[in-house]
Amino acid sequence: MSLPHAILTALLEKPSSGLELTRRFDRSIGYFWSATHQQIYRELGRLEGDGLIRTLPSEKPARGRRKEYEVLPAGREELARWAAEPQAPRTVRDPLLLRLRAAAVVGGVGLEDELRRHLELHRAQLAEYDAIERRDFPPAPDRPREDRLRHIVLRAGIELETFWTTWLTGALDELAGAPDQAGTAP
Amino acid sequence: MSLPHAILTALLEKPSSGLELTRRFDRSIGYFWSATHQQIYRELGRLEGDGLIRTLPSEKPARGRRKEYEVLPAGREELARWAAEPQAPRTVRDPLLLRLRAAAVVGGVGLEDELRRHLELHRAQLAEYDAIERRDFPPAPDRPREDRLRHIVLRAGIELETFWTTWLTGALDELAGAPDQAGTAP
DNA sequence: AGATCCATGTAACAGGTTACATGATTTA
DNA sequence: TAAATCATGTAACCTGTTACATGGATCT
């Protein structure tokens, strides 16, 4: 149950229309919680129905007409409640790891190419995060707590991408010495 | 679409009943692809219907009776096809990161305790992985490719848990110098 | 008037979660 | 024989994905 809270966070940072939210979920927020416009519109409807957000009264609402939302006090309270609530860490569920394990059983042809492709993608993402860090968080003493929190989240992204690049590099090295023999399993 | 392939991999490693699979999804395979018994039984039914697996002919199948499954040639082919197929890297979707970002907006009370709790959980998981590595992959030259692949997957688990522990430690350090001021945002 | 965006939706489906139901086997 | 445990399932619901539909504004 995180999408509604992701939307509340985004709307508190800045009141927005559905399409603007969708764009923001392709960038900053989307770096750790992605969502499509269909999900977002569905959830905006629910949040409004639950009295956690409302549309800014501007023009008459109609199908093709822009609607801007803002968070109501009840929405802010719900977000604070959720953020403080104890939750279990997310269990890992990664198809790439599963595919490596499958390759150990059925023999992986073309697997190394796929690992190289992922390595390039993760390198590119890491470069993007590094640029954001240089731009938004230059070295400075005594930052306000909000900025520290945002920086900590960005650091998670940077360190995660660093993990992937070093791990993939190591995996390719390790496999370089072992020729593929497809279908050796019983 | 990974659960069926996780099950095919597990069944190729060792033919099993639904409950045995469930137990294995709480350990080894579950470390990177978790699933409940309800999901597993539903998927076993589909895989059998699609002719990718079959029940070992032993006793008459009935409601409370154990059924053991094995993979058919078509299932092995499907798994090999899927494992070789190019796929996009999994996008990050982590509630903890979202909660930190929310805390930057609504002020996080009790957040540090939650970070400490997660740190302990990740430390414990890391210790477990380290023990498995010592037991199953002691230093040795020239391992077969299958073993290398399995070791690479375990390394991913180890390095991921290492990332979480170092990142959480750093986050707690960083926050130690910034007192909480709930509700400072507009 | 038609093409092209901008913007908000609908519908159908697949996958994951939670709660509950039921039969078979072992053990106190 | 009752309880506990092993084992397989059903049902309802929620989230996420994919494909498609529709209205409004702008530009040529």
Short mmCIF file of all heavy atoms in Angstrom, two decimals, chain D residues 9-26:
data_model
loop_
_atom_site.label_atom_id
_atom_site.label_comp_id
_atom_site.label_asym_id
_atom_site.label_seq_id
_atom_site.Cartn_x
_atom_site.Cartn_y
_atom_site.Cartn_z
P DG D 9 -4.20 -29.74 -5.47
OP1 DG D 9 -5.16 -30.52 -6.25
OP2 DG D 9 -2.87 -29.45 -5.99
"O5'" DG D 9 -4.89 -28.36 -5.06
"C5'" DG D 9 -6.22 -28.37 -5.18
"C4'" DG D 9 -6.91 -27.54 -4.12
"O4'" DG D 9 -6.05 -27.03 -3.08
"C3'" DG D 9 -7.53 -26.27 -4.68
"O3'" DG D 9 -8.75 -26.60 -5.30
"C2'" DG D 9 -7.71 -25.40 -3.43
"C1'" DG D 9 -6.85 -26.12 -2.38
N9 DG D 9 -6.06 -25.21 -1.56
C8 DG D 9 -4.69 -25.12 -1.51
N7 DG D 9 -4.26 -24.23 -0.65
C5 DG D 9 -5.43 -23.70 -0.11
C6 DG D 9 -5.61 -22.68 0.89
O6 DG D 9 -4.75 -22.04 1.50
N1 DG D 9 -6.95 -22.46 1.15
C2 DG D 9 -7.99 -23.11 0.54
N2 DG D 9 -9.22 -22.75 0.91
N3 DG D 9 -7.85 -24.06 -0.38
C4 DG D 9 -6.54 -24.30 -0.66
P DT D 10 -9.42 -25.58 -6.28
OP1 DT D 10 -9.92 -26.37 -7.40
OP2 DT D 10 -8.47 -24.47 -6.51
"O5'" DT D 10 -10.67 -25.01 -5.49
"C5'" DT D 10 -10.57 -24.78 -4.08
"C4'" DT D 10 -11.66 -23.83 -3.65
"O4'" DT D 10 -11.12 -23.04 -2.57
"C3'" DT D 10 -12.13 -22.82 -4.68
"O3'" DT D 10 -13.46 -22.44 -4.35
"C2'" DT D 10 -11.13 -21.69 -4.50
"C1'" DT D 10 -10.89 -21.71 -3.00
N1 DT D 10 -9.52 -21.34 -2.58
C2 DT D 10 -9.36 -20.48 -1.53
O2 DT D 10 -10.30 -20.00 -0.91
N3 DT D 10 -8.05 -20.18 -1.21
C4 DT D 10 -6.92 -20.67 -1.84
O4 DT D 10 -5.80 -20.34 -1.46
C5 DT D 10 -7.15 -21.57 -2.94
C7 DT D 10 -5.99 -22.15 -3.67
C6 DT D 10 -8.43 -21.85 -3.25
P DA D 11 -14.27 -21.37 -5.24
OP1 DA D 11 -15.69 -21.72 -5.12
OP2 DA D 11 -13.64 -21.28 -6.58
"O5'" DA D 11 -14.00 -19.99 -4.49
"C5'" DA D 11 -14.13 -19.96 -3.07
"C4'" DA D 11 -14.10 -18.52 -2.59
"O4'" DA D 11 -12.74 -18.18 -2.17
"C3'" DA D 11 -14.48 -17.49 -3.66
"O3'" DA D 11 -15.33 -16.53 -3.04
"C2'" DA D 11 -13.15 -16.91 -4.12
"C1'" DA D 11 -12.30 -17.03 -2.86
N9 DA D 11 -10.86 -17.21 -3.09
C8 DA D 11 -10.27 -17.92 -4.10
N7 DA D 11 -8.95 -17.92 -4.05
C5 DA D 11 -8.66 -17.16 -2.93
C6 DA D 11 -7.45 -16.78 -2.33
N6 DA D 11 -6.25 -17.12 -2.80
N1 DA D 11 -7.52 -16.01 -1.22
C2 DA D 11 -8.74 -15.66 -0.74
N3 DA D 11 -9.94 -15.96 -1.22
C4 DA D 11 -9.84 -16.72 -2.33
P DA D 12 -15.90 -15.28 -3.86
OP1 DA D 12 -17.29 -15.11 -3.47
OP2 DA D 12 -15.53 -15.40 -5.29
"O5'" DA D 12 -15.06 -14.07 -3.23
"C5'" DA D 12 -14.80 -14.07 -1.82
"C4'" DA D 12 -13.97 -12.86 -1.47
"O4'" DA D 12 -12.56 -13.17 -1.66
"C3'" DA D 12 -14.25 -11.64 -2.36
"O3'" DA D 12 -14.23 -10.48 -1.54
"C2'" DA D 12 -13.13 -11.67 -3.38
"C1'" DA D 12 -11.98 -12.22 -2.52
N9 DA D 12 -10.91 -12.88 -3.27
C8 DA D 12 -11.03 -13.62 -4.41
N7 DA D 12 -9.88 -14.08 -4.85
C5 DA D 12 -8.95 -13.62 -3.93
C6 DA D 12 -7.56 -13.76 -3.83
N6 DA D 12 -6.83 -14.45 -4.71
N1 DA D 12 -6.93 -13.17 -2.79
C2 DA D 12 -7.68 -12.48 -1.91
N3 DA D 12 -8.99 -12.27 -1.89
C4 DA D 12 -9.58 -12.88 -2.94
P DC D 13 -14.56 -9.05 -2.15
OP1 DC D 13 -15.40 -8.35 -1.16
OP2 DC D 13 -15.00 -9.21 -3.55
"O5'" DC D 13 -13.13 -8.35 -2.15
"C5'" DC D 13 -12.29 -8.48 -1.00
"C4'" DC D 13 -10.90 -8.07 -1.36
"O4'" DC D 13 -10.29 -9.10 -2.18
"C3'" DC D 13 -10.83 -6.79 -2.19
"O3'" DC D 13 -10.06 -5.84 -1.47
"C2'" DC D 13 -10.13 -7.22 -3.48
"C1'" DC D 13 -9.39 -8.46 -3.04
N1 DC D 13 -9.02 -9.39 -4.13
C2 DC D 13 -7.68 -9.79 -4.24
O2 DC D 13 -6.87 -9.36 -3.43
N3 DC D 13 -7.33 -10.64 -5.24
C4 DC D 13 -8.24 -11.09 -6.09
N4 DC D 13 -7.83 -11.92 -7.04
C5 DC D 13 -9.61 -10.70 -6.00
C6 DC D 13 -9.96 -9.86 -5.01
P DC D 14 -10.17 -4.28 -1.90
OP1 DC D 14 -10.65 -3.52 -0.74
OP2 DC D 14 -10.85 -4.17 -3.21
"O5'" DC D 14 -8.63 -3.94 -2.13
"C5'" DC D 14 -7.63 -4.62 -1.39
"C4'" DC D 14 -6.32 -4.55 -2.14
"O4'" DC D 14 -6.25 -5.65 -3.09
"C3'" DC D 14 -6.12 -3.27 -2.95
"O3'" DC D 14 -4.85 -2.75 -2.62
"C2'" DC D 14 -6.23 -3.74 -4.41
"C1'" DC D 14 -5.72 -5.18 -4.29
N1 DC D 14 -6.16 -6.11 -5.37
C2 DC D 14 -5.20 -6.91 -5.99
O2 DC D 14 -4.01 -6.82 -5.64
N3 DC D 14 -5.58 -7.78 -6.97
C4 DC D 14 -6.87 -7.85 -7.32
N4 DC D 14 -7.19 -8.71 -8.28
C5 DC D 14 -7.86 -7.04 -6.70
C6 DC D 14 -7.47 -6.19 -5.75
P DT D 15 -4.31 -1.35 -3.17
OP1 DT D 15 -3.64 -0.68 -2.05
OP2 DT D 15 -5.40 -0.67 -3.93
"O5'" DT D 15 -3.20 -1.81 -4.22
"C5'" DT D 15 -2.20 -2.73 -3.83
"C4'" DT D 15 -1.38 -3.12 -5.04
"O4'" DT D 15 -2.12 -4.02 -5.88
"C3'" DT D 15 -0.96 -1.94 -5.93
"O3'" DT D 15 0.44 -2.03 -6.10
"C2'" DT D 15 -1.76 -2.15 -7.22
"C1'" DT D 15 -1.94 -3.66 -7.23
N1 DT D 15 -3.12 -4.19 -7.97
C2 DT D 15 -2.91 -5.19 -8.89
O2 DT D 15 -1.82 -5.64 -9.14
N3 DT D 15 -4.05 -5.64 -9.50
C4 DT D 15 -5.35 -5.20 -9.29
O4 DT D 15 -6.29 -5.69 -9.91
C5 DT D 15 -5.49 -4.16 -8.31
C7 DT D 15 -6.85 -3.61 -8.01
C6 DT D 15 -4.38 -3.71 -7.71
P DG D 16 1.25 -0.99 -6.98
OP1 DG D 16 2.63 -0.94 -6.46
OP2 DG D 16 0.46 0.24 -7.12
"O5'" DG D 16 1.30 -1.72 -8.39
"C5'" DG D 16 1.94 -2.99 -8.49
"C4'" DG D 16 1.94 -3.44 -9.93
"O4'" DG D 16 0.60 -3.84 -10.31
"C3'" DG D 16 2.37 -2.39 -10.95
"O3'" DG D 16 3.26 -3.02 -11.85
"C2'" DG D 16 1.05 -1.96 -11.61
"C1'" DG D 16 0.26 -3.26 -11.55
N9 DG D 16 -1.19 -3.15 -11.55
C8 DG D 16 -1.97 -2.33 -10.78
N7 DG D 16 -3.26 -2.47 -11.00
C5 DG D 16 -3.32 -3.45 -11.98
C6 DG D 16 -4.44 -4.02 -12.63
O6 DG D 16 -5.64 -3.77 -12.45
N1 DG D 16 -4.07 -4.99 -13.56
C2 DG D 16 -2.77 -5.35 -13.84
N2 DG D 16 -2.59 -6.30 -14.77
N3 DG D 16 -1.70 -4.82 -13.24
C4 DG D 16 -2.06 -3.87 -12.33
P DT D 17 3.84 -2.26 -13.17
OP1 DT D 17 5.21 -2.73 -13.38
OP2 DT D 17 3.53 -0.82 -13.06
"O5'" DT D 17 2.95 -2.87 -14.35
"C5'" DT D 17 2.88 -4.27 -14.51
"C4'" DT D 17 2.19 -4.60 -15.84
"O4'" DT D 17 0.76 -4.46 -15.70
"C3'" DT D 17 2.60 -3.68 -17.00
"O3'" DT D 17 2.90 -4.52 -18.11
"C2'" DT D 17 1.36 -2.81 -17.23
"C1'" DT D 17 0.23 -3.72 -16.77
N1 DT D 17 -0.99 -3.05 -16.23
C2 DT D 17 -2.22 -3.46 -16.66
O2 DT D 17 -2.38 -4.34 -17.48
N3 DT D 17 -3.28 -2.80 -16.08
C4 DT D 17 -3.22 -1.79 -15.14
O4 DT D 17 -4.24 -1.27 -14.69
C5 DT D 17 -1.89 -1.40 -14.73
C7 DT D 17 -1.71 -0.31 -13.71
C6 DT D 17 -0.84 -2.05 -15.28
P DT D 18 3.43 -3.90 -19.50
OP1 DT D 18 4.42 -4.85 -20.02
OP2 DT D 18 3.77 -2.49 -19.27
"O5'" DT D 18 2.15 -3.94 -20.45
"C5'" DT D 18 1.32 -5.09 -20.45
"C4'" DT D 18 0.15 -4.87 -21.41
"O4'" DT D 18 -0.97 -4.29 -20.71
"C3'" DT D 18 0.47 -3.92 -22.58
"O3'" DT D 18 0.04 -4.55 -23.78
"C2'" DT D 18 -0.32 -2.65 -22.27
"C1'" DT D 18 -1.49 -3.20 -21.45
N1 DT D 18 -2.06 -2.26 -20.45
C2 DT D 18 -3.42 -2.27 -20.22
O2 DT D 18 -4.18 -3.02 -20.82
N3 DT D 18 -3.86 -1.38 -19.28
C4 DT D 18 -3.09 -0.50 -18.56
O4 DT D 18 -3.60 0.26 -17.74
C5 DT D 18 -1.67 -0.53 -18.83
C7 DT D 18 -0.75 0.40 -18.11
C6 DT D 18 -1.23 -1.40 -19.75
P DA D 19 0.25 -3.83 -25.22
OP1 DA D 19 0.72 -4.89 -26.15
OP2 DA D 19 1.02 -2.58 -25.07
"O5'" DA D 19 -1.26 -3.46 -25.61
"C5'" DA D 19 -2.32 -4.33 -25.25
"C4'" DA D 19 -3.64 -3.66 -25.56
"O4'" DA D 19 -4.07 -2.89 -24.41
"C3'" DA D 19 -3.58 -2.67 -26.73
"O3'" DA D 19 -4.69 -2.91 -27.59
"C2'" DA D 19 -3.63 -1.30 -26.07
"C1'" DA D 19 -4.48 -1.61 -24.85
N9 DA D 19 -4.30 -0.67 -23.74
C8 DA D 19 -3.12 -0.13 -23.28
N7 DA D 19 -3.27 0.69 -22.27
C5 DA D 19 -4.63 0.70 -22.04
C6 DA D 19 -5.44 1.38 -21.11
N6 DA D 19 -4.96 2.21 -20.20
N1 DA D 19 -6.78 1.15 -21.16
C2 DA D 19 -7.26 0.31 -22.09
N3 DA D 19 -6.60 -0.38 -23.02
C4 DA D 19 -5.28 -0.13 -22.93
P DC D 20 -4.89 -2.03 -28.94
OP1 DC D 20 -5.37 -3.00 -29.95
OP2 DC D 20 -3.70 -1.19 -29.18
"O5'" DC D 20 -6.11 -1.08 -28.55
"C5'" DC D 20 -7.21 -1.65 -27.82
"C4'" DC D 20 -8.03 -0.55 -27.20
"O4'" DC D 20 -7.28 0.10 -26.14
"C3'" DC D 20 -8.43 0.58 -28.18
"O3'" DC D 20 -9.83 0.59 -28.29
"C2'" DC D 20 -7.86 1.85 -27.54
"C1'" DC D 20 -7.72 1.44 -26.08
N1 DC D 20 -6.73 2.22 -25.30
C2 DC D 20 -7.17 2.97 -24.19
O2 DC D 20 -8.37 2.96 -23.90
N3 DC D 20 -6.26 3.68 -23.48
C4 DC D 20 -4.97 3.66 -23.81
N4 DC D 20 -4.12 4.37 -23.08
C5 DC D 20 -4.50 2.91 -24.93
C6 DC D 20 -5.40 2.20 -25.64
P DA D 21 -10.55 1.64 -29.23
OP1 DA D 21 -11.75 0.94 -29.74
OP2 DA D 21 -9.55 2.24 -30.14
"O5'" DA D 21 -11.03 2.77 -28.21
"C5'" DA D 21 -11.75 2.40 -27.05
"C4'" DA D 21 -12.29 3.65 -26.38
"O4'" DA D 21 -11.25 4.26 -25.58
"C3'" DA D 21 -12.77 4.72 -27.35
"O3'" DA D 21 -14.01 5.20 -26.86
"C2'" DA D 21 -11.67 5.79 -27.31
"C1'" DA D 21 -11.16 5.63 -25.88
N9 DA D 21 -9.76 6.01 -25.65
C8 DA D 21 -8.65 5.56 -26.32
N7 DA D 21 -7.52 6.07 -25.86
C5 DA D 21 -7.92 6.90 -24.82
C6 DA D 21 -7.21 7.73 -23.94
N6 DA D 21 -5.88 7.84 -23.96
N1 DA D 21 -7.92 8.43 -23.03
C2 DA D 21 -9.25 8.31 -23.01
N3 DA D 21 -10.03 7.56 -23.79
C4 DA D 21 -9.29 6.88 -24.68
P DT D 22 -14.88 6.23 -27.68
OP1 DT D 22 -16.27 5.93 -27.36
OP2 DT D 22 -14.40 6.25 -29.08
"O5'" DT D 22 -14.49 7.61 -27.02
"C5'" DT D 22 -14.75 7.79 -25.63
"C4'" DT D 22 -14.31 9.19 -25.26
"O4'" DT D 22 -12.87 9.22 -25.16
"C3'" DT D 22 -14.68 10.25 -26.31
"O3'" DT D 22 -15.49 11.21 -25.68
"C2'" DT D 22 -13.35 10.82 -26.77
"C1'" DT D 22 -12.44 10.48 -25.60
N1 DT D 22 -10.99 10.35 -25.92
C2 DT D 22 -10.10 11.03 -25.13
O2 DT D 22 -10.43 11.72 -24.18
N3 DT D 22 -8.78 10.88 -25.48
C4 DT D 22 -8.29 10.13 -26.53
O4 DT D 22 -7.08 10.07 -26.76
C5 DT D 22 -9.28 9.44 -27.33
C7 DT D 22 -8.85 8.60 -28.49
C6 DT D 22 -10.56 9.59 -26.98
P DG D 23 -16.20 12.38 -26.52
OP1 DG D 23 -17.64 12.31 -26.22
OP2 DG D 23 -15.72 12.37 -27.92
"O5'" DG D 23 -15.61 13.70 -25.83
"C5'" DG D 23 -15.50 13.72 -24.42
"C4'" DG D 23 -14.51 14.80 -24.05
"O4'" DG D 23 -13.17 14.36 -24.36
"C3'" DG D 23 -14.70 16.11 -24.82
"O3'" DG D 23 -14.66 17.17 -23.89
"C2'" DG D 23 -13.52 16.15 -25.78
"C1'" DG D 23 -12.47 15.41 -24.97
N9 DG D 23 -11.38 14.81 -25.73
C8 DG D 23 -11.46 13.88 -26.73
N7 DG D 23 -10.28 13.53 -27.21
C5 DG D 23 -9.38 14.28 -26.48
C6 DG D 23 -7.97 14.33 -26.55
O6 DG D 23 -7.20 13.71 -27.29
N1 DG D 23 -7.44 15.23 -25.63
C2 DG D 23 -8.19 15.98 -24.75
N2 DG D 23 -7.53 16.79 -23.94
N3 DG D 23 -9.53 15.94 -24.67
C4 DG D 23 -10.04 15.07 -25.57
P DG D 24 -14.99 18.64 -24.30
OP1 DG D 24 -15.70 19.25 -23.15
OP2 DG D 24 -15.60 18.64 -25.65
"O5'" DG D 24 -13.55 19.29 -24.40
"C5'" DG D 24 -12.86 19.60 -23.20
"C4'" DG D 24 -11.51 20.23 -23.53
"O4'" DG D 24 -10.74 19.30 -24.33
"C3'" DG D 24 -11.61 21.53 -24.33
"O3'" DG D 24 -10.84 22.51 -23.64
"C2'" DG D 24 -11.01 21.18 -25.70
"C1'" DG D 24 -10.12 19.99 -25.39
N9 DG D 24 -9.99 19.01 -26.46
C8 DG D 24 -11.01 18.33 -27.10
N7 DG D 24 -10.58 17.50 -28.01
C5 DG D 24 -9.21 17.62 -27.97
C6 DG D 24 -8.21 16.96 -28.73
O6 DG D 24 -8.36 16.12 -29.63
N1 DG D 24 -6.93 17.40 -28.38
C2 DG D 24 -6.66 18.33 -27.41
N2 DG D 24 -5.38 18.61 -27.20
N3 DG D 24 -7.59 18.95 -26.69
C4 DG D 24 -8.83 18.55 -27.02
P DA D 25 -10.73 23.98 -24.19
OP1 DA D 25 -10.62 24.87 -23.02
OP2 DA D 25 -11.78 24.20 -25.20
"O5'" DA D 25 -9.32 23.94 -24.93
"C5'" DA D 25 -8.15 23.63 -24.16
"C4'" DA D 25 -6.93 23.79 -25.04
"O4'" DA D 25 -6.90 22.70 -26.01
"C3'" DA D 25 -6.87 25.08 -25.85
"O3'" DA D 25 -5.59 25.66 -25.67
"C2'" DA D 25 -7.13 24.65 -27.29
"C1'" DA D 25 -6.63 23.21 -27.29
N9 DA D 25 -7.31 22.32 -28.21
C8 DA D 25 -8.66 22.17 -28.37
N7 DA D 25 -8.99 21.27 -29.27
C5 DA D 25 -7.77 20.79 -29.73
C6 DA D 25 -7.42 19.81 -30.68
N6 DA D 25 -8.34 19.11 -31.37
N1 DA D 25 -6.11 19.59 -30.89
C2 DA D 25 -5.21 20.29 -30.19
N3 DA D 25 -5.41 21.23 -29.27
C4 DA D 25 -6.73 21.43 -29.09
P DT D 26 -5.20 27.04 -26.34
OP1 DT D 26 -4.31 27.73 -25.38
OP2 DT D 26 -6.43 27.69 -26.86
"O5'" DT D 26 -4.32 26.58 -27.59
"C5'" DT D 26 -3.26 25.64 -27.38
"C4'" DT D 26 -2.63 25.28 -28.71
"O4'" DT D 26 -3.47 24.33 -29.42
"C3'" DT D 26 -2.42 26.46 -29.67
"O3'" DT D 26 -1.12 26.37 -30.20
"C2'" DT D 26 -3.48 26.24 -30.74
"C1'" DT D 26 -3.51 24.71 -30.78
N1 DT D 26 -4.72 24.08 -31.36
C2 DT D 26 -4.57 23.05 -32.25
O2 DT D 26 -3.48 22.63 -32.59
N3 DT D 26 -5.74 22.53 -32.73
C4 DT D 26 -7.03 22.93 -32.42
O4 DT D 26 -8.00 22.38 -32.91
C5 DT D 26 -7.13 24.02 -31.48
C7 DT D 26 -8.47 24.53 -31.06
C6 DT D 26 -5.98 24.54 -31.00
#
